[in-house]
Amino acid sequence: EFAARRGVVYTRATAPETWTLPSHASLFTGLYGPSHGANASWRWLDEHHLTLAEQLSARGYRTFAFSANPYLSPVSNLLQGFDTVRYSWRGDEAERCARATHAKLLPDDRSVEIAPGWTPPTDHEGEGWPEHLTAYKDAGPVIGASFLEWVDEREGAPFFAYLNFLEAHHPRIPSAEARAAVSDPATIARGLATDASLFRIMAAMEGKGSFTPEELAAIAATYDATLWDLDRATAAILDGLEARGLLDDTIVVITSDHGENLGERGMFDHRWDLHQTLVHVPLVIRYPRGVPAGRAAEPVSTGHLYGTLLALAGVPAPDLGYPLPELGASKVVFSELEAPTPRLPEIRAAFPDLKGDRWQVRFQAIFERPWKLLRASDGRSELYDLDADPAERVDLALDRGEIAGSLREALIRWDRERPRYDPSLRSASDRPGNPLRVDPSLRDQLRQLGYTEETP
């Protein structure tokens, strides 16, 4: 409904990477991963990068960020350049966010680690999983209210705001109203009873246990319900801007840093490969003064929002020593997974027979409609016609060898010619924070999201 009111929907939007840190670094700098350097082995955005917030702040914009994700915090420097930063787990909003999250908890929910009825696994050795984790993640209404309060205090100055919601991220606890809006009672009951904790879904990915089709449908329905909650929270923000007479003068972007596996190909979570479940993301832009309404079907990258937003705001493109593409400027876009993240330590402790290098494969992908070529560091290549096969069920790499070869050459050329990250440009203060020592509340938030080995 919002997009139809003079907005544009990009139906082929692609995330630069499949997890928070590198994807956000691309969003805020316009660079792909091996150019900005923020990845699993260096969990930090170096200070020499000029972020979108810094560019706009230098031109008189007030800047605001609200993060429900512990990766968007001082441990990563992703929010460099924002004047006002608020967090769901710390400061004045923490209690409000905790109340908003816990208000969604249902007594008979046994599905995830923060649910009242969930019990930790007992069939493995090693460090035990905590009984329950304190959650501050489902903070949508609080984020919106905090942002609108800040808008009212800005004294008429132009503003740039980034609002990070985490309702759709594991562990998912949609409201009862949301569950009822998207699902039937039997599926709701099955979703509450299905253990979809990190330990179980990671074990299933390793071939240790499985889910029935009915359980997978219930997991998907729970995910859909979180989107319903997000829709309501987003609508409140847009209505608030409209009531203040600001909406039509505000560039609004709705997008995501990555997708999610919900059992496709036996996979869950994210950070594992570059299939569409992980890199195909929503992207809506509304700005009646400068964006024609409609639907755009050509491939675009959310990494190109950097140049697009500067152009829409009338800010001259900075000379950063590399091209600053805008959405739609190129018919070819790319995505990659440069450095996969490790599995949960609990999984290694429970199943010591697992191969240690399974998740160390790197991936790159090139998109040129209708084609997508996926290339892995172990030599595999896959080719898909996304117009005819959006679910990537039929690999055409052998049948359409000429097309696969041409795209492979283009991917290699792009990788060879783009700017490379230079560690020598790091300053003395460029050092990833260790959440295990820096902030106990931040450590807890990372753990509940599955980032249990985030120790740079």
Side-chain angles (χ1 to χ4, degrees):
E1 178 187 0
F2 171 71
R5 290 158 53 193
R6 303 176 66 185
V8 59
V9 179
Y10 293 88
T11 60
R12 293 291 178 85
T14 296
E17 288 222 25
T18 67
W19 62 293
T20 299
L21 176 64
S23 191
H24 273 89
S26 295
L27 181 68
F28 292 149
T29 68
L31 289 167
Y32 284 97
S35 299
H36 60 59
N39 57 41
S41 58
W42 180 251
R43 300 182 178 97
W44 184 262
L45 180 64
D46 289 351
E47 292 182 357
H48 70 83
H49 293 302
L50 288 174
T51 66
L52 187 58
E54 288 176 303
Q55 296 284 355
L56 294 169
S57 181
R59 289 161 176 83
Y61 281 71
R62 297 278 301 279
T63 55
F64 174 92
F66 197 123
S67 170
N69 190 324
Y71 252 129
L72 290 147
S73 74
V75 301
S76 67
N77 198 41
L78 283 174
L79 297 180
Q80 173 180 302
F82 285 97
D83 303 320
T84 301
V85 182
R86 297 174 183 170
Y87 304 102
S88 66
W89 65 89
R90 190 170 69 192
D92 294 339
E93 276 81 8
E95 184 178 347
R96 295 165 65 191
C97 291
R99 286 199 305 266
T101 301
H102 285 258
K104 293 182 175 183
L105 296 174
L106 301 176
D108 55 345
D109 187 359
R110 304 192 299 274
S111 63
V112 289
E113 296 85 340
I114 62 175
W118 183 79
T119 56
T122 58
D123 58 347
H124 69 280
E125 299 176 356
E127 182 180 4
W129 199 276
E131 287 281 336
H132 288 288
L133 293 164
T134 303
Y136 304 83
K137 61 180 289 291
D138 284 43
V142 178
I143 292 174
S146 180
F147 163 64
L148 292 172
E149 291 165 6
W150 177 84
V151 166
D152 291 337
E153 298 167 357
R154 68 190 168 85
E155 299 178 345
F159 65 86
F160 170 57
Y162 172 74
L163 310 179
N164 174 266
F165 301 91
L166 218 60
E167 274 81 348
H169 199 291
H170 182 93
R172 287 180 278 274
I173 49 167
S175 65
E177 186 180 8
R179 294 177 191 268
V182 303
S183 194
D184 60 85
T187 302
I188 293 172
R190 190 175 297 111
L192 294 171
T194 298
D195 182 0
S197 63
L198 281 170
F199 183 85
R200 188 183 179 197
I201 64 175
M202 295 298 178
M205 284 174 53
E206 302 282 6
K208 308 292 185 178
S210 61
F211 291 88
T212 67
E214 292 77 16
E215 287 176 325
L216 291 176
I219 290 172
T222 301
Y223 184 87
D224 289 345
T226 67
L227 302 184
W228 192 91
D229 280 335
L230 279 172
D231 186 70
R232 293 287 293 272
T234 305
I237 293 170
L238 302 175
D239 290 345
L241 290 174
E242 190 166 36
R244 288 162 173 78
L246 297 173
L247 185 59
D248 284 350
D249 289 325
T250 302
I251 303 165
V252 179
V253 179
I254 300 174
T255 191
S256 178
D257 55 342
H258 57 74
E260 187 79 351
N261 285 315
L262 298 172
E264 300 88 349
R265 294 182 170 81
M267 306 289 282
F268 295 90
D269 199 65
H270 45 279
R271 301 172 287 164
W272 315 118
D273 58 33
L274 290 179
H275 284 293
Q276 290 297 93
T277 48
L278 299 188
V279 297
H280 185 202
V281 295
L283 177 58
V284 178
I285 300 180
R286 183 181 182 275
Y287 184 45
R289 293 175 181 266
V291 178
R295 300 178 74 83
E298 295 301 323
V300 296
S301 171
T302 55
H304 296 169
L305 281 168
Y306 183 94
T308 299
L309 292 177
L310 290 179
L312 288 174
V315 175
D319 182 9
L320 300 178
Y322 57 87
L324 194 60
E326 298 179 30
L327 292 170
S330 172
K331 301 298 183 185
V332 180
V333 298
F334 304 89
S335 186
E336 59 197 321
L337 179 59
E338 186 187 9
T341 53
R343 62 168 63 94
L344 293 173
E346 290 85 1
I347 294 296
R348 286 201 303 271
F351 309 113
D353 60 316
L354 297 175
K355 291 182 61 177
D357 61 349
R358 179 179 178 187
W359 306 115
Q360 298 309 305
V361 180
R362 300 182 306 280
F363 294 90
Q364 292 180 325
I366 179 173
F367 300 77
E368 184 175 12
R369 188 180 181 191
W371 303 106
K372 171 186 178 179
L373 178 78
L374 181 64
R375 184 169 175 258
S377 59
D378 60 7
R380 289 176 289 145
S381 288
E382 301 171 19
L383 178 69
Y384 299 100
D385 179 346
L386 295 181
D387 279 356
D389 181 25
E392 299 172 297
R393 292 189 174 92
V394 181
D395 178 6
L396 300 173
L398 294 178
D399 294 341
R400 307 300 293 270
E402 183 177 346
I403 292 173
S406 176
L407 290 173
R408 190 179 301 110
E409 290 176 7
L411 184 58
I412 293 171
R413 185 167 56 252
W414 167 76
D415 189 38
R416 182 176 61 245
E417 295 176 354
R418 62 180 164 164
R420 290 288 168 182
Y421 171 68
D422 185 355
S424 70
L425 297 178
R426 295 173 183 168
S427 69
S429 57
D430 279 327
R431 187 176 301 278
N434 187 335
L436 297 179
R437 293 194 298 266
V438 172
D439 185 338
S441 64
L442 183 58
R443 174 198 61 208
D444 291 342
Q445 297 306 294
L446 284 165
R447 186 163 192 182
Q448 78 170 17
L449 300 178
Y451 301 125
T452 57
E453 290 198 335
E454 305 303 279
T455 52

